[in-house]
Amino acid sequence: MKISALALTATLAIALAPAGQAAVKSIVLVHGAFADGSGWKPVVDILERDGYRVYVAQIPETTFDADVAATKFILDRSGPCVLVGHSYGGMVITEAGVHASVKSLVYVAAFEPNVGESAGELNGKTPRRATTLPPSAEASCR
């Protein structure tokens, strides 16, 4: 994961301090595809040093439903928390984020679908890249 631990910690601090709510002291982190929870180690170290209780969901990456279930298993034990997802983990936290323990969601360079929306549907909303430059751009490149 090539995310600055300091930048992520600052983002989480903002998410953890919503106006008018008691401070949330638990954070659940969900890794992306082709990775595991160990990628969160630098972030976990900072957050724990700052007094947060941190859980890392080790999603199995066998099926989407299994990944959501693994995350909900952690949420059942975390108490009120901020749920954080990186990359594919954004797909997982969107579905698991309806859990009663979740007070806010943080997407770190992650998919941010609507509940029930697939990655394919989400990617379909992104315009395709241009394969050629328009004539005015070609002229300015010369």
Side-chain angles (χ1 to χ4, degrees):
M1 179 182 344
K2 296 196 181 208
I3 305 294
S4 163
L6 186 57
L8 179 58
T9 304
T11 302
L12 286 172
I14 293 167
L16 289 167
Q21 289 186 358
V24 173
K25 295 300 283 182
S26 293
I27 301 168
V28 176
L29 304 169
V30 180
H31 62 83
F34 314 114
D36 68 13
S38 67
W40 287 112
K41 175 85 169 96
V43 175
V44 170
D45 291 344
I46 292 168
L47 293 170
E48 286 180 340
R49 183 192 67 221
D50 290 346
Y52 295 99
R53 198 172 34 192
V54 182
Y55 302 86
V56 178
Q58 187 63 43
I59 58 175
E61 298 183 63
T62 52
T63 67
F64 180 69
D65 290 339
D67 295 342
V68 172
T71 302
K72 286 182 176 180
F73 180 81
I74 300 297
L75 294 171
D76 288 341
R77 289 144 183 79
S78 70
C81 68
V82 172
L83 181 57
V84 180
H86 172 254
S87 185
Y88 162 75
M91 298 295 298
V92 176
I93 71 168
T94 297
E95 291 297 316
V98 298
H99 192 282
S101 294
V102 177
K103 301 306 173 197
S104 60
L105 299 173
V106 175
Y107 294 83
V108 180
F111 283 104
E112 190 177 349
N114 292 315
V115 174
E117 186 175 30
S118 72
E121 291 169 323
L122 188 60
N123 281 336
K125 292 180 178 179
T126 305
R128 292 204 173 280
R129 66 174 178 83
T131 56
T132 61
L133 295 173
S136 60
E138 286 180 13
S140 66
C141 291
R142 294 182 187 161

